[in-house]
Amino acid sequence: MSEWTISALAEAIRTRRISPVEITRACLERIERLDPQLKAFITVDAEGAMRAARAREADVAAGALRGPLHGVPLAYKDLCHVPGLPTTCGTLTREYFLGPRPCTAVSRLTAAGAITLGKLNMTELALGPFGENLHHGDPQNPWARGHVSGGSSSGSGVAVAAGLALGALGSDTGGSVRLPAACCGIVGLKPTYGRVSRAGVMPLSWSLDHIGPMARTVRDAALLLGVIAGHDPEDATTSHRPVPDYVAGLDVPLGAVRLGVPENYYFDRLDGQVTRAVESAIRVLEGLGAKVTPVHVPDPEIVSGCSNVLARSESAAIHVRVAKDRPHELQETVRLRIEVGYHVSAYDYLQAQRLRARLARELVADVFDKVDVLVVPTIPEPAPSYDAAKAGTAQERVQRMGRFSRLTRPFNGLGLPALSVPCGFSLDGRPLGLQIVGRPFAEARALRLGHAYEQAAGWTTRRPGAL
Amino acid sequence: MPDTDRTVKAQVADLAAIIERTTADLSLAEEAGSFLVALEQGAGDE
């Protein structure tokens, strides 16, 4: 079960070597056996999944496949509104988010044949990079129990890494797809702002939220992205730009791709194991024909500061009811971050909106004129233990959160596509991640480079041992 | 003043200081809604 990729499974179902019922049952049995310890799921929809599996099996028998994900079991972060299932958003409230419409991304995956296993654990209200959850249990890193799985899409990272689901959706406002992908040794992609619809997803910050795929391989992430990307009339921020065939693009020769390695910020204050793993990954990419170019990037602290102004204001406006009416239900760090938003001025908010457009233009002009992609680490250190992540006062914990997401957050403010791929392990076996960042809408290029690296490096063939 | 209030006030002040420091030279033509346009115009050939 844990050896399947989405691509291989979809092919096996098409050629009738395995049935949707068999694979769905295997996933549900694995969830029943492992999830009481791993805490990846908030809701398991065993009955609905088996009903869908039988329907997809009947489709196969009739020779009527729905699409490229026919019969593939997936699961979704519990902030996607899926009709018939509760959406807690990681809170104590069973029906926290009741959207007027279903999640477009999930609807597209279902229309392509995917089977919904259930809804995945997450940081409360998606506010935090470690993935802990007081109400539904702390998701356990499959590679190192007692350690964080990264967040806020923590259940998504755990479910995919542990082979409970073939792939998952996460949301990313400051790194929440890429951080759990890196911590759990899987692939995660934050697409360009506007590439994937957020309709039917609980918002945290309208200006910074992105929906992205999480999977075991770059090919699987490309396949999922191809299904969920594209304009959606229900989300006015989505682009009308055509969606390329991301999977076909993986096998296009790399050519002399120009690899930008930042001289400032992204390699400061890293754990030495991360530095060595990323430098080694860069050498592998050089071996594949990439030309490494040192670049100076405009100060990421500015875009991060600008993003914090937007995120605090918008999350306070969105979640004001729970924060004011039932503050005792919220984790202290979540409440603290929301409260900041009440006091940010409209002047600061509007200036931040104006500034980020300039920052995006400047980065594209200054950096992507010289290089095709940037490569930087995803996490500054291997996934810390929960004891370490939770130590200290609320203020200290908030500062620790900021440090852990400092390498991913700038690309939310800039709206750029950023892919995280596994790039090795710490000495004690915790996964590490490499980010490949492209210019706007250049997901295909990032995926192509990530795929080539993945094939050469071989990290994604490893599985957590203790499962 | 409780610690939480001090923390919130300090964070708000930090955010305001960043904006004050970085936005002084924004021109009249730089609109709050131009971010999506910046992304579309920044896309390459792919």
Side-chain angles (χ1 to χ4, degrees):
Chain A
M1 172 58 224
S2 65
E3 297 305 313
W4 283 109
T5 63
I6 294 174
S7 310
L9 177 64
E11 176 62 18
I13 290 172
R14 268 195 295 277
T15 53
R16 303 190 187 195
R17 285 183 286 123
I18 188 167
S19 80
V21 167
E22 278 179 278
I23 191 70
T24 302
R25 188 174 290 134
C27 283
L28 291 170
E29 285 172 2
R30 197 167 168 84
I31 293 166
E32 191 175 357
R33 182 164 62 85
L34 296 175
D35 205 50
Q37 291 82 46
L38 291 175
K39 310 280 185 203
F41 279 80
I42 289 177
T43 301
V44 178
D45 185 19
E47 196 179 314
M50 287 307 296
R51 192 168 51 245
R54 285 190 290 272
R56 298 295 77 77
E57 191 154 304
D59 294 339
V60 174
L65 300 186
R66 282 192 165 203
L69 299 171
H70 195 97
V72 175
L74 303 176
Y76 309 116
K77 187 174 183 178
D78 199 22
L79 45 56
C80 301
H81 174 42
V82 179
L85 297 179
T87 304
T88 69
C89 305
T91 68
L92 201 56
T93 309
R94 180 178 153 85
E95 296 283 5
Y96 182 80
F97 179 63
L98 285 168
R101 60 185 79 83
C103 171
T104 295
V106 172
S107 298
R108 288 181 178 181
L109 294 167
T110 304
I115 291 166
T116 300
L117 291 168
K119 311 284 290 296
L120 296 164
N121 206 348
M122 55 183 283
T123 314
E124 188 174 40
L125 297 179
L127 262 167
F130 293 122
E132 80 280 11
N133 193 297
L134 193 63
H135 314 298
H136 303 282
D138 291 336
Q140 297 296 308
N141 193 313
W143 298 89
R145 303 290 170 90
H147 289 70
V148 308
S149 56
S152 62
S153 311
S154 40
S156 304
V158 174
V160 174
L164 308 183
L166 276 287
L169 287 182
S171 68
D172 192 318
T173 305
S176 289
V177 160
R178 292 160 287 159
L179 297 170
C183 289
C184 292
I186 63 168
V187 175
L189 172 66
K190 183 201 81 65
T192 308
Y193 187 83
R195 182 74 291 185
V196 174
S197 169
R198 291 97 43 85
V201 177
M202 178 211 84
L204 174 61
S205 168
W206 299 291
S207 299
L208 303 168
D209 291 342
H210 301 67
I211 299 299
M214 300 170 73
R216 281 178 215 147
T217 65
V218 173
R219 183 175 294 279
D220 285 357
L223 180 55
L224 294 176
L225 179 66
V227 172
I228 62 176
H231 179 68
D232 176 16
E234 299 283 359
D235 179 353
T237 63
T238 50
S239 173
H240 286 269
R241 187 173 287 272
V243 177
D245 184 338
Y246 296 113
V247 174
L250 296 178
D251 298 319
V252 173
L254 274 185
V257 61
R258 299 171 302 168
L259 210 63
V261 179
E263 296 170 315
N264 57 317
Y265 186 82
Y266 289 99
F267 289 83
D268 299 341
R269 293 180 283 135
L270 299 181
D271 181 290
Q273 299 172 99
V274 173
T275 308
R276 286 190 288 280
V278 172
E279 287 176 351
S280 171
I282 291 168
R283 285 195 293 277
V284 170
L285 290 166
E286 270 190 297
L288 294 169
K291 182 182 182 319
V292 174
T293 305
V295 289
H296 184 88
V297 293
D299 186 2
E301 298 276 13
I302 296 175
V303 71
S304 285
C306 173
S307 299
N308 285 341
V309 170
L310 301 175
R312 296 289 175 276
S313 316
E314 293 179 1
S315 60
I318 292 163
H319 297 295
V320 60
R321 286 278 55 89
V322 66
K324 292 213 165 170
D325 296 349
R326 308 189 303 282
H328 55 280
E329 289 185 8
L330 296 174
Q331 289 176 214
E332 195 179 5
T333 50
V334 171
R335 194 172 65 241
L336 186 62
R337 294 172 91 188
I338 288 176
E339 281 178 11
V340 171
Y342 302 144
H343 306 284
V344 174
S345 72
Y347 168 82
D348 287 338
Y349 177 82
L350 286 167
Q351 294 294 70
Q353 285 289 11
R354 298 173 72 198
L355 181 62
R356 81 167 180 145
R358 172 196 283 193
L359 296 172
R361 282 185 207 281
E362 281 179 354
L363 189 106
V364 169
D366 295 352
V367 174
F368 289 110
D369 183 44
K370 303 181 187 77
V371 299
D372 299 309
V373 295
L374 290 173
V375 286
V376 299
T378 310
I379 45 178
E381 58 177 310
S385 68
Y386 272 114
D387 287 345
K390 292 179 177 182
T393 63
Q395 170 66 4
E396 287 166 340
R397 294 198 296 276
V398 168
Q399 287 172 349
R400 188 176 300 124
M401 290 174 180
R403 290 195 294 274
F404 196 66
S405 60
R406 62 186 287 275
L407 307 172
T408 51
R409 207 165 53 243
F411 304 116
N412 293 73
L414 296 165
L416 300 175
L419 173 73
S420 181
V421 293
C423 72
F425 293 84
S426 64
L427 288 173
D428 61 359
R430 287 171 286 165
L432 305 170
L434 173 78
Q435 272 187 107
I436 302 172
V437 182
R439 65 189 305 148
F441 299 99
E443 283 84 0
R445 190 187 289 273
L447 289 163
R448 186 155 59 242
L449 194 65
H451 175 67
Y453 170 72
E454 178 183 75
Q455 299 297 302
W459 299 115
T460 44
T461 58
R462 289 204 197 177
R463 296 283 178 266
L467 301 176
Chain B
M1 184 191 297
D3 282 353
T4 308
D5 288 353
R6 262 197 294 274
T7 300
V8 168
K9 280 193 163 48
Q11 287 190 29
V12 173
D14 285 350
L15 295 175
I18 290 168
I19 295 299
E20 201 54 42
R21 197 171 64 241
T22 55
T23 60
D25 63 341
L26 283 169
S27 77
L28 293 179
E30 291 180 272
E31 298 172 13
S34 61
F35 178 66
L36 289 174
V37 178
L39 291 182
E40 292 287 351
Q41 291 176 342
D45 297 333
E46 284 189 86

